[in-house]
Amino acid sequence: MDNLSDTLKKLKITAVDRTEDSLEGCLDCLLQALAQNNTETSEKMHGSGILQLFASLLTPQSSCTAKVANVIAEVAKNEFMRVPCVDAGLISPLVQLLNSKDQEVLLQTGRALGNICYDSHEGRSAVDQAGGAQIVIDHLRSLCSITDPANEKLLTVFCGMLMNYSNENDSLQAQLINMGVIPTLVKLLGIHCQNAALTEMCLVAFGNLAELESSKEQFASTNIAEELVKLFKKQIEHDKREMIFEVLAPLAENDAIKLQLVEAGLVECLLEIVQQKVDSDKEDDIAELKTGSDLMVLLLLGDESMQKLFEGGKGNVFQRVLSWIPSNNHQLQLAGALAIANFARNDGNCIHMVDNGIVEKLMDLLDRHVEDGNVTVQHAALSALRNLAIPVVNKAKMLSAGVTGAVLKFLKSEMPPVQFKLLGTLRMLIDAQAEAAEQLGKNVKLVERLVEWCEAKDHAGVMGESNRLLSALIRHSKSKDVIKTIVQSGGIKHLVTMATSEHVIMQNEALVALALIAALELGTAEKDLESAKLVQILHRLLADERSAPEIKYNSMVLICALMGSESLHKEVQDLAFLDVVSKLRSHENKSVAQQASLTEQRLAVES
């Protein structure tokens, strides 16, 4: 270290004299000291104030320039040296050197700037102000096609520099995207796929940029999908495949890229991985199985990519995914059920799958998860059943297959996501199915659970679906017994509250159900309707200009139906409904205006 102090003194003198030979000797000594103990040497250099002199040594003419840049690259490996490098004014001359024709100068300059930018806001800012990124991107473009080792090393350093410059910084990443870095990097990957270090740099850069929404369109206009799949097929090592997965996942969120990946043959690779890893208990294999099957499900979220893989239900991919459902591997069961839910996004697919026995497979899967089951699998299987129940022709088939019984086994679940899907599945199944609606509506256990969930204020989704199912049981069954069960279980107040929902569709469903209650079982429900303040709510809905026409219409229908109850009739008279209703006779909606006339007559007669 005494030697180092001498070198630093000598360097200060030499820097002024500019004697190239002794300058080179000093720089060699410094590089040697840095190689032996980087941190201590850097601290000494910082203390000596030598960094300030380095700016004047970074000249294109000097034969020592590359070594000066190398010294800076080495000291900037230390976090505490990055801001001092910026403060010493080194960024501007370093960026000027990026215009050099000397390959070694470019290499060391790229390293120096990359290390100064690493995790350093000040470093990045200074490089940004000096315009360094554009020059580096231009170099990448012009050197892209040259495959000799020295050039590939330089390309790797430049990619690394851009990565350190923009890592986790959205605005700098956006700047690189606007400069057109994506097509250049994709081209690099295609040409240099044999070079492991450069490939790895490109992948990390893609991983960073792909998180940005604005990058997706640029990626979609390149052949990234093809290049990544080609690269993926060649990889045997888990870590390398993991790196490619990390780029594929964010890219596959874009529908256009999903389709490109499917066309490039990614799905076949994923199916192969699943087959290879399914029986392994090695941690890496389990992780890869999960990543592969998750990515497969993600590809099915795009309408075009999903339809391409469905191939009319005859496709190899669809058949393979079907075989995951009865497997003993939870991850595969989950991915299989989610994939079916994604395939079940149009009527044609749903009808085909139900006709070909998918419902029985899903019911068997649910059966295996009733006691202490896997919640994610329960949720996924119920999601699939709910989607399959949407087409009208499927409802009766699914009901006769016993789906309601399979679903009701999960009534005791305490998991909101499972509760939510269970409710949605039942609601889809009973739509326009009077017999099924009546059967479920007389099931006291179910109705009591629904009433309990109607109060699940922490879970708005569960609360909304419970209300909607209560209403659907009445609307589709039109059954007195169902209404009695709901009254006895305390469900009326929830239907009245539902009429004030912010969602018009829910308001409407509630009002129609309440009108049926008033028409079929007014005597039974009278007290509950009174204590829930239904009449006051209807007055508010009719008086509110923001209420949708169908809400006004159904509120008036309900008012007429309530006249059969003495106590409710009295409430209607006390609230001066005539004034509100007569105003609605001139409503722009013909049905509302017509119903207002009828209601006005009814109120006038009854008063």
Side-chain angles (χ1 to χ4, degrees), residues 296-353:
M296 178 81 189
V297 172
L298 182 57
L299 292 175
L300 293 173
L301 276 173
D303 287 337
E304 280 187 84
S305 50
M306 177 272 287
Q307 215 46 44
K308 190 175 175 64
L309 293 170
F310 189 65
E311 293 181 67
K314 305 273 187 292
N316 170 42
V317 175
F318 174 64
Q319 296 302 331
R320 289 279 285 277
V321 165
L322 270 188
S323 72
W324 293 357
I325 293 173
S327 95
N328 289 319
N329 183 304
H330 281 188
Q331 174 57 33
L332 277 197
Q333 293 171 0
L334 171 65
L338 287 172
I340 297 302
N342 285 345
F343 279 127
R345 285 211 315 281
N346 65 49
D347 283 8
N349 292 3
C350 289
I351 292 164
H352 177 90
M353 286 192 280

Side-chain angles (χ1 to χ4, degrees), residues 80-301:
F80 65 88
M81 288 299 282
R82 289 169 200 151
V83 173
C85 284
V86 175
D87 293 343
L90 300 182
I91 301 299
S92 185
L94 281 169
V95 168
Q96 290 307 309
L97 286 177
L98 288 173
N99 297 306
S100 166
K101 298 278 178 282
D102 182 312
Q103 201 163 26
E104 183 60 20
V105 170
L106 286 174
L107 184 80
Q108 299 304 342
T109 303
R111 283 185 63 234
L113 287 169
N115 290 351
I116 291 170
C117 284
Y118 185 78
D119 238 358
S120 161
H121 170 68
E122 293 77 6
R124 290 167 181 185
S125 254
V127 173
D128 179 21
Q129 279 159 10
Q134 186 66 65
I135 305 172
V136 171
I137 289 177
D138 293 342
H139 275 307
L140 287 177
R141 262 192 213 115
S142 60
L143 301 171
C144 184
S145 307
I146 307 165
T147 54
D148 68 81
N151 187 60
E152 288 193 322
K153 193 176 176 187
L154 180 58
L155 289 171
T156 307
V157 164
F158 278 159
C159 281
M161 185 229 135
L162 288 180
M163 209 172 61
N164 287 354
Y165 169 71
S166 66
N167 188 30
E168 290 182 358
N169 183 314
D170 286 1
S171 64
L172 292 179
Q173 286 178 353
Q175 178 197 74
L176 294 183
I177 290 167
N178 291 335
M179 289 174 178
V181 75
I182 287 173
T184 307
L185 289 174
V186 174
K187 197 172 165 193
L188 269 182
L189 182 69
I191 295 170
H192 303 274
C193 56
Q194 303 301 331
N195 184 304
L198 184 47
T199 300
E200 207 161 297
M201 273 302 173
C202 286
L203 287 174
V204 177
F206 290 147
N208 287 347
L209 296 169
E211 297 293 341
L212 229 66
E213 214 32 61
S214 58
S215 74
K216 306 279 203 306
E217 272 175 45
Q218 273 213 28
F219 273 119
S221 65
T222 69
N223 63 336
I224 181 83
E226 206 182 312
E227 294 298 353
L228 287 175
V229 173
K230 207 158 64 183
L231 191 64
F232 191 83
K233 285 177 178 167
K234 284 196 292 207
Q235 301 306 330
I236 322 152
E237 289 168 54
H238 169 77
D239 293 349
K240 294 276 163 55
R241 292 218 281 221
E242 202 60 40
M243 277 187 87
I244 301 172
F245 272 141
E246 278 169 20
V247 180
L248 287 170
L251 285 180
E253 285 167 13
N254 175 281
D255 281 2
I257 299 174
K258 279 186 183 80
L259 190 60
Q260 291 168 6
L261 289 168
V262 167
E263 286 170 344
L266 177 62
V267 173
E268 288 70 17
C269 299
L270 298 176
L271 288 172
E272 204 174 309
I273 284 179
V274 168
Q275 204 168 355
Q276 287 167 3
K277 313 290 180 188
V278 67
D279 297 319
S280 170
D281 47 15
K282 276 200 234 146
E283 212 168 297
D284 280 358
D285 289 348
I286 293 168
E288 211 166 311
L289 176 77
K290 177 173 169 30
T291 313
S293 52
D294 283 350
L295 187 51
M296 178 81 189
V297 172
L298 182 57
L299 292 175
L300 293 173
L301 276 173

Side-chain angles (χ1 to χ4, degrees), residues 389-400 428-429 431 433:
I390 293 171
V392 178
V393 293
N394 280 357
K395 296 182 197 295
K397 292 173 188 169
M398 289 175 72
L399 287 166
S400 61
M428 284 303 157
L429 280 170
D431 191 4
Q433 307 295 311

Side-chain angles (χ1 to χ4, degrees), residues 542 548-558 589 591-592 595:
L542 288 171
E550 61 266 44
I551 300 304
K552 291 195 185 309
Y553 177 87
N554 282 321
S555 295
M556 288 187 283
V557 170
L558 182 47
N589 182 296
S591 303
V592 172
Q595 186 58 40

Side-chain angles (χ1 to χ4, degrees), residues 62-80:
S62 164
S63 62
C64 296
T65 302
K67 277 189 181 163
V68 177
N70 189 358
V71 170
I72 296 168
E74 288 302 315
V75 300
K77 286 178 178 175
N78 302 288
E79 193 181 343
F80 65 88

